[in-house]
């Protein structure tokens, strides 16, 4: 997520359907961002000033087999776009050996995650569950995930794991940050709203 004094500026074409340039503003420094190789989806609507203008920009780009999706929003109409959501999803070009792998001890009655082990250098090592971390099993269109969430200021950092072959080893397929409208009422990540971003990961886990 954007820090308090960090935001983004965009210039758009005449009908606000495409992005011409993008800059990151941090304090008193402005840095032009490279946008070649990225695709942009621009959402236009009525902002808090009752003016029809750009409300959000979704940027998608590929990097070493990962699909990176970032959403920038400006609902108050001041022209400063804050990063509200970011997710990096592993696709078919990523070697699963490079992805984080976990084993979970799960309560058979409640489904709660009681313990975590991480594969490090070929050995399973107990991983402490911190007080601000939580784990949840969810089903998205028939695909089972374990979601690890951690509070980060006004937002949430999250990781998603899958175990398609049910061998007890869960592979990380995505990670990201979310805030604002991308959180549910209880403060967790609204994965139902972003499940389409996960489609590229469905071919990588055995």
């Amino acid at each position: 997520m954007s820090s308090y004094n960090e935001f983004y500026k965009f210039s758009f074409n005449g009908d606000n359907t495409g992005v011409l340039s993008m800059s990151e503003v941090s304090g008193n420094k402005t840095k032009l961002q490279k946008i070649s190789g990225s695709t942009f989806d621009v959402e236009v609507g009525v902002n808090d000033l009752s003016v029809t203008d750009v409300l959000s920009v979704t940027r998608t780009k590929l990097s070493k087999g990962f699909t990176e999706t970032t959403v920038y929003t400006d609902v108050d109409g001041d022209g400063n776009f804050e990063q509200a959501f970011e997710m990096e999803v592993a696709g078919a070009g990523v070697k699963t050996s490079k992805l984080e792998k976990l084993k979970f001890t799960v309560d058979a009655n409640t489904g709660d995650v009681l313990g975590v082990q991480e594969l490090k250098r070929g050995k399973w090592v107990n991983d402490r569950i911190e007080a601000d971390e939580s784990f949840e099993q969810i089903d998205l269109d028939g695909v089972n995930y374990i979601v690890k969430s951690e509070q980060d200021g006004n937002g949430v950092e999250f990781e998603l794991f899958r175990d398609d072959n049910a061998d007890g080893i869960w592979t990380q397929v995505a990670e990201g940050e979310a805030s604002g409208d991308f959180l549910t009422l209880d403060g967790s990540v609204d994965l139902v709203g972003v499940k389409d971003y996960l489609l590229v990961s469905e071919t990588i886990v055995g």
Side-chain angles (χ1 to χ4, degrees), residues 5-114:
N5 62 343
E6 180 181 282
F7 55 88
Y8 296 83
K9 290 280 192 179
F10 292 90
S11 64
F12 304 97
N13 58 9
D15 57 2
N16 284 340
T17 59
V19 171
L20 300 179
S21 68
M22 172 184 177
S23 298
E24 179 183 11
V25 181
S26 182
N28 59 359
K29 296 181 179 180
T30 300
K31 182 178 180 180
L32 187 66
Q33 302 290 292
K34 295 180 180 179
I35 62 174
S36 59
S38 298
T39 59
F40 293 89
D41 181 40
V42 180
E43 178 192 5
V44 175
V46 179
N47 59 30
D48 292 346
L49 300 177
S50 299
V51 175
T52 299
D53 206 343
V54 177
L55 298 179
S56 71
V57 177
T58 301
R59 179 183 187 180
T60 305
K61 63 178 180 178
L62 297 176
S63 177
K64 298 179 180 179
F66 291 89
T67 299
E68 300 176 6
T69 302
T70 312
V71 180
Y72 308 89
T73 59
D74 174 28
V75 294
D76 61 9
D78 66 355
N80 299 331
F81 287 77
E82 296 185 352
Q83 181 181 306
F85 177 81
E86 180 182 33
M87 184 161 69
E88 182 181 79
V89 182
V94 176
K95 294 182 179 180
T96 57
S97 60
K98 301 294 184 180
L99 300 174
E100 183 180 2
K101 293 178 174 59
L102 300 181
K103 285 183 178 180
F104 298 99
T105 302
V106 180
D107 187 299
N109 296 317
T110 65
D112 293 339
V113 173
L114 305 177

